[in-house]
Amino acid sequence: METKPSILIIEDDPGFLIILDISLSRVGLECSKARSVHEALSYLEKELFDLILLDLYLDPEINEGQGTQIIRWIRERKVSTKIIVYSGYLESLDSSLRQTVFDVISKSESFNVLLSATRKAIGFTPSGGNDG
């Protein structure tokens, strides 16, 4: 049996998190979900992922840090996991961090743009379901 590619979705909006999880699971991807920096780092300390989908701006009410902190944490540890930043606040991603991620996509783009970048990042052909 072939192992499904694993993705960590880091998104503080619960509705959007569910949409991403369902949509990516339907095309055969294994998704883990984190709503906070703390939760994301807890996953990353225990598991290796094929890809991270990262909302850059995480709600300060539930977060002690932002998405840029997660990028720095991953790169400091020389983890080769690819990161796609998917956010409505891309202006806060400086050029040095931008160069360390696989792709940067605005939330104003269609879901198909994100799905295409996801497939490209992990070299994935869907096993079934809807393409978006």
Side-chain angles (χ1 to χ4, degrees), residues 34-107:
R35 289 193 58 216
S36 69
V37 171
H38 176 74
E39 197 175 355
L41 295 179
S42 181
Y43 269 114
L44 291 167
E45 287 171 347
K46 294 183 258 177
E47 291 181 53
L48 281 176
F49 292 90
D50 296 303
L51 178 66
I52 295 170
L53 296 181
L54 175 62
D55 180 9
L56 201 57
Y57 181 78
L58 300 168
D59 184 351
E61 294 289 322
I62 61 171
N63 283 284
E64 65 287 348
Q66 293 301 319
T68 54
Q69 178 183 345
I70 295 168
I71 297 170
R72 286 186 183 96
W73 188 94
I74 290 167
R75 296 308 177 226
E76 285 169 2
R77 284 152 184 80
K78 309 238 186 285
V79 177
S80 62
T81 300
K82 292 179 181 167
I83 301 168
I84 294 177
V85 173
Y86 189 64
S87 183
Y89 299 93
L90 297 176
E91 63 278 355
S92 61
L93 183 63
D94 66 50
S95 60
S96 63
L97 282 181
R98 190 177 285 258
Q99 293 173 3
T100 69
V101 301
F102 182 81
D103 207 345
V104 177
I105 300 169
S106 171
K107 280 189 176 177

Side-chain angles (χ1 to χ4, degrees), residues 9-22 33-36 55 58-59 62-63 107:
I9 305 168
I10 305 168
E11 169 63 59
D12 61 322
D13 178 327
F16 198 64
L17 185 62
I18 290 168
I19 290 169
L20 286 173
D21 181 34
I22 290 170
K33 302 168 290 300
R35 289 193 58 216
S36 69
D55 180 9
L58 300 168
D59 184 351
I62 61 171
N63 283 284
K107 280 189 176 177

